[in-house]
Amino acid sequence: MADVKSAETKAPAAPSAWGDDPFHKPQRRLTSGGLVALLVKVVLLAIIDALTIFAVWVLVAKGDWIAAIVLALVVIGVNFIYIRPGLLPGKYLTPGLAFLAVFQVFVIIYTGYIAFTNAGDQHNSTKEDAIAQIVRTSQERVPDSPEYTVEVYKQADQFGLLVAEPGGDTAFGTSDQALEEASSAPDGWEKLNLSQIVRFQDEILAINVPVSDDINDGTLRTSDGQKAYVYVSSLEYDESADTFTNTETGQVYADDGQGNFRAEDGTTLTPGWRVVVGWQNFAYAFTNEQIRDPLIRVTLWTFFFAAASTFVCFAMGLFLAIVLNHPTLRGKKIYRILVILPYAFPAYLTGLVWAGLFNQEFGFINQVLLGGAQIPWLAEPWLARGVVIFVNMWLGYAYMFLVCTGALQSLPDDIIEAAKVDGAGAWRIFRSVKLPLLFVAVAPLLIATFAYNFNNFGVIYMLTRGNPRFTDTTLDIGATDIMITMVYKVAFGGGGGRDLGLASALSILIFIIVTIVAVISFRQTKALEDLN
Amino acid sequence: MMVNKKGVIGLGALIAGSAMLLAGCAGGGSAGNTDSADGDSTPITVWVDIERKPALEDVAKSFTEDTGIEVKLVTKDFATVDQDFISQVPTGKGPDIIVSPHDKLGSYVSAGVVAPLELGDVADGFAESAMQAMTYDGKVYGVPYSIENVALVRNTDLAPNPATTFDEVIANGKAAGTEYPFLVGLSPEQGDPYHMYPLQTSFGSQVFAQNADGSYDASQLVLGDEAGTAFATWLAGQGAAGTGVFNANIDGDKAREFFLAGKSPYYLTGPWNVPAIKDAGINYAIDPLPSAGGQEAKPFIGVNGFFLSSKSENALAATNFIVNYLSTEDAQMSLYEVGGRPPALTAAYEKAAADDADVAAFGKIGQTGAPMPAIPEMGGVWSDWGNAELSIIKGEGGDPATVWQTAATNIQSKIG
């Protein structure tokens, strides 16, 4: 907002845009900002269009038609809105809508999409990539085969290797022609130097010179253009059947529809690839007992944590606001600064500091404040939960204090005056007059605070990492874990790498819960507004 | 019309940005190199941490001089570099080469983001354990450059003679009259199975069974076997309920602080803490950890190495750089000079060990160590394992053998 204001005051050249009502003078709009504004508009549009043409060209070249068409349509729409007179509301709305689309709508849709896939560390690319990688890793150097020194030759589009065999003989071969003894490369073949080798590296890496006419003897490949080794492949890919066959055991690995090549005995080839798996991730969250039972406990604690954090922050903030709002109190400013101080510390840092302070043996709390007591603050489940809420109060009450101070100071004096005249005492005035009026202003903030604490990853992660751990589940989940930290651990922590699909599914569940809570709460707060 | 202009600028930036993003995404995998201009080759991108970067600069320079190919060293945060690597390689935006500890190798392979390398005769120059660490499923994936492991650092003013058994360590520690007989950093929440491992192996207990070639068999979790139970029982006797040698409230920072303050003659730690010990002016010696359970105490060894991305568009040049340049004595020596970790190349290690007794000591202990399993299943082991040790040390959860067994069962069901 500040920017808009300063722009307004600093731009006397275009006062008419603000002074006139543009809605009623459509015929002047194109030039209403003067020649400079028009020029800027045209130049910027030209830049956008030029970039778009480039981008569309690149996208079409890559065969990505959908992205190209969407991009082209969007930019045509933008041009239309900004060039054609009479679409003023569009000019204001379009940038915001575009940002909304990119930063909100796209993110939500993409998370939703991931939740229905098996995306994760072992399924993180396309099937083509997976096949290429399986083929690559199935190449094995023939045991005890010698190291050959090679020179790379090229003729037209063909590449060949001149190989110095360990015995001192040299031989030449290409991918199509098995190795044959030759003292030098045939005529017409040109030797490649290092920079040429690098330029044609894709072709050179693809050279596969059969050692003899029998393919089972293996093929000669080079990975650096200087040395070559004899490789045999342990797996063969059959493109028409879409299967891998183990050349030794004859075992067949077929696409199992879940993003893996799987044999009949259940063994799979790594890596897999990303496929849509439907509701599997959601079903897993509810049916796998390793996740389900802890999920229920964690959900209950999350609600308790969010509600308790919000309540203690609000109670503490309100209490201090009332105390420090007393008209006769001296040194108010200093107190207020002191009270707001925790607000200035980054939450991540304070989490770690508090964890140190609460150390059972060496922490400040036990050693200094409690005279060497050995209270297991962070090791006993309920104590740890209490500590988490306490630290969260320390982090959050300053905000509530600011809000409540503001709200209290804006309460009309006459109502309180009237209450006094009616004979109400201080407590009665607070309970029946100030508090309800305060709630009108603060209730939406309380709901927002609740929603924020519901996903307050930082304080949990930095303070306890969710510990002490539950002993009756194999998942790395503990007594102070809230849903978001559990998602983090399920997705990124436990054995076998990350599972982004499951994590997305769980975050969608959290999103739904938070939405329901927020909707219900906001409905309830409408009742409060009737007080006014 | 200010608002309007701002709108246009914002929109322009947005569209330009997303257009480039889309173009970039789409451009990833398949861009060929055939059309690159003469002599104008694509640089090799290496992901490296800030510490090792200076050491690689010299090697990169000589590579560029020889081949004309530039090497771009990109600094990454080492704590999360493996996750970035796994996410970005498939998009075509990852590096050509990554510097990484070997215990991530299993995840890289199962995610399909690293390509196997053929080292040929170069492999013979490296320590056997280092090559073992770079091998996964029978294939070599990297060139190792350093080996690190923990050892027992002894304050020679407080304990003049090396001990031969762990009991002797404790007895010496108590005789020294310091506050703690022995120090090791344990996380108060997670324990630290890595540091405790030599003690565990001295009871003959391992995590996974080893195949004949030294690789680990993910299908055989042996953590909960008799030897493991014996270790657990012993550990309970050294915890809060027993002698109190192990203290769950002393974390890594506290252990170091106490040792530097002379509060204990013994400190189980790795080479990374030696510079601080040296700076504190403590007279120290580095011993192998004496056995607690009768067998050899084998620490985990971690091997750092260079790995080639499976989607490198510059694979030939990158392979050349890894296999022929980073494996040289000069390269390994300059990496050693920066990081102070024993080189993986035997020739370089011998040279370094001749200069520096600490490197020699850590290196010698590392030679008998066990490479940390690189199998992806290892990721599911740490938490239960560490928590079991922690509750045994704290004397919680009842019978230590049961606590240990439960952890083993949990891990087994987690890794399937």
Side-chain angles (χ1 to χ4, degrees), chain B residues 116-276:
Chain B
L117 292 173
E118 184 52 63
L119 302 191
D121 300 341
V122 170
D124 301 339
F126 289 99
E128 205 189 326
S129 55
M131 284 314 298
Q132 243 174 44
M134 293 289 129
T135 309
Y136 187 81
D137 217 2
K139 285 187 196 66
V140 175
Y141 283 89
V143 162
Y145 79 84
S146 79
I147 303 176
E148 60 191 28
N149 50 270
V150 296
L152 188 65
V153 181
R154 171 166 53 93
N155 184 330
T156 48
D157 295 335
L158 297 169
N161 299 311
T164 50
T165 64
F166 191 74
D167 290 339
E168 209 180 311
V169 168
I170 303 304
N172 289 351
K174 284 188 174 142
T178 48
E179 199 173 337
Y180 305 98
F182 169 84
L183 284 171
V184 59
L186 298 172
S187 151
E189 292 102 27
Q190 299 272 293
D192 197 333
Y194 171 80
H195 278 89
M196 301 293 284
Y197 198 63
L199 292 162
Q200 188 178 334
T201 47
S202 80
F203 284 84
S205 166
Q206 284 187 307
V207 192
F208 288 102
Q210 269 176 307
N211 297 322
D213 62 348
S215 64
Y216 289 90
D217 183 354
S219 63
Q220 283 193 60
L221 183 83
V222 294
L223 191 69
D225 64 7
E226 257 174 58
T229 315
F231 167 66
T233 315
W234 172 80
L235 193 60
Q238 308 291 330
T243 58
V245 166
F246 297 101
N247 184 334
N249 291 311
I250 299 181
D251 60 13
D253 291 340
K254 292 248 158 52
R256 185 168 76 160
E257 183 190 318
F258 292 160
F259 185 76
L260 296 180
K263 286 186 181 175
S264 171
Y266 294 106
Y267 180 22
L268 183 61
T269 189
W272 47 89
N273 275 327
V274 170

Side-chain angles (χ1 to χ4, degrees), chain B residues 5 78 93 172 212 217 241 243 377:
Chain B
K5 269 191 247 170
F78 237 44
K93 291 189 167 181
N172 289 351
D217 183 354
T243 58
E377 284 81 2

Side-chain angles (χ1 to χ4, degrees), chain A residues 78 121 124 129 133 136-137 141 147 194 198 201 203 224 226-227 231 361 467 469 474 476 498, chain B residues 34 67 69 83 86-87 111 114 118 121 139 189 247 310-311 314-316 324 383-384 387 413-414:
Chain A
V78 167
D121 276 357
N124 65 354
D129 280 354
Q133 177 71 4
R136 189 179 298 138
T137 49
R141 184 181 170 188
E147 177 177 308
L194 201 62
V198 171
Q201 55 181 302
E203 290 84 350
D224 60 0
Q226 295 166 4
K227 280 174 272 179
Y231 290 91
E361 194 168 334
N467 288 303
R469 196 169 175 280
T474 66
D476 182 19
R498 296 174 290 178
Chain B
T34 39
T67 62
I69 299 163
Q83 299 192 348
I86 290 173
S87 327
V114 285
E118 184 52 63
D121 300 341
K139 285 187 196 66
E189 292 102 27
N247 184 334
S310 63
K311 292 206 73 176
N314 214 351
L316 194 137
N324 300 329
S383 156
D384 284 273
N387 273 291
S413 71
K414 199 192 305 188

Side-chain angles (χ1 to χ4, degrees), chain A residues 352 355 388 457-469 476-482 485 488-489, chain B residues 187 189-190:
Chain A
L352 291 172
V388 168
F457 182 85
V459 70
I460 303 288
Y461 195 73
M462 289 298 157
L463 193 60
T464 64
R465 302 214 163 212
N467 288 303
R469 196 169 175 280
D476 182 19
I477 299 174
T480 56
D481 262 318
I482 55 173
T485 58
Y488 178 81
K489 286 175 171 181
Chain B
S187 151
E189 292 102 27
Q190 299 272 293

Side-chain angles (χ1 to χ4, degrees), chain A residues 201-202 205 223, chain B residues 33 96 308-309 312-320:
Chain A
Q201 55 181 302
D202 287 353
L205 289 172
S223 57
Chain B
N33 294 0
D96 299 301
L308 174 69
S309 156
S312 166
E313 288 168 22
N314 214 351
L316 194 137
T319 308
N320 195 351

Side-chain angles (χ1 to χ4, degrees), chain A residues 45-178:
Chain A
L45 274 178
I47 292 173
I48 292 171
D49 290 351
L51 284 170
T52 309
I53 290 168
F54 171 71
V56 167
W57 183 69
V58 170
L59 287 170
V60 168
K62 299 286 171 210
D64 203 340
W65 288 95
I66 296 173
I69 291 168
V70 169
L71 186 66
L73 287 179
V74 167
V75 174
I76 290 169
V78 167
N79 276 304
F80 183 73
I81 288 165
Y82 280 91
I83 290 171
R84 204 188 129 93
L87 287 172
L88 192 84
K91 291 181 189 176
Y92 294 102
L93 279 175
T94 327
L97 286 177
F99 279 114
L100 186 74
V102 171
F103 294 117
Q104 296 277 342
V105 179
F106 173 74
V107 171
I108 291 169
I109 291 175
Y110 194 70
T111 309
Y113 164 69
I114 292 291
F116 290 96
T117 69
N118 60 354
D121 276 357
Q122 301 185 12
H123 301 91
N124 65 354
S125 196
T126 59
K127 190 173 175 180
E128 288 75 49
D129 280 354
I131 292 170
Q133 177 71 4
I134 292 170
V135 168
R136 189 179 298 138
T137 49
S138 70
Q139 300 287 332
E140 269 174 58
R141 184 181 170 188
V142 175
D144 302 322
S145 64
E147 177 177 308
Y148 296 84
T149 315
V150 296
E151 283 171 354
V152 185
Y153 286 80
K154 177 175 187 285
Q155 185 189 44
D157 281 344
Q158 273 205 305
F159 292 84
L161 295 179
L162 183 66
V163 183
E165 288 178 330
D169 293 340
T170 54
F172 185 81
T174 68
S175 295
D176 302 326
Q177 182 204 332

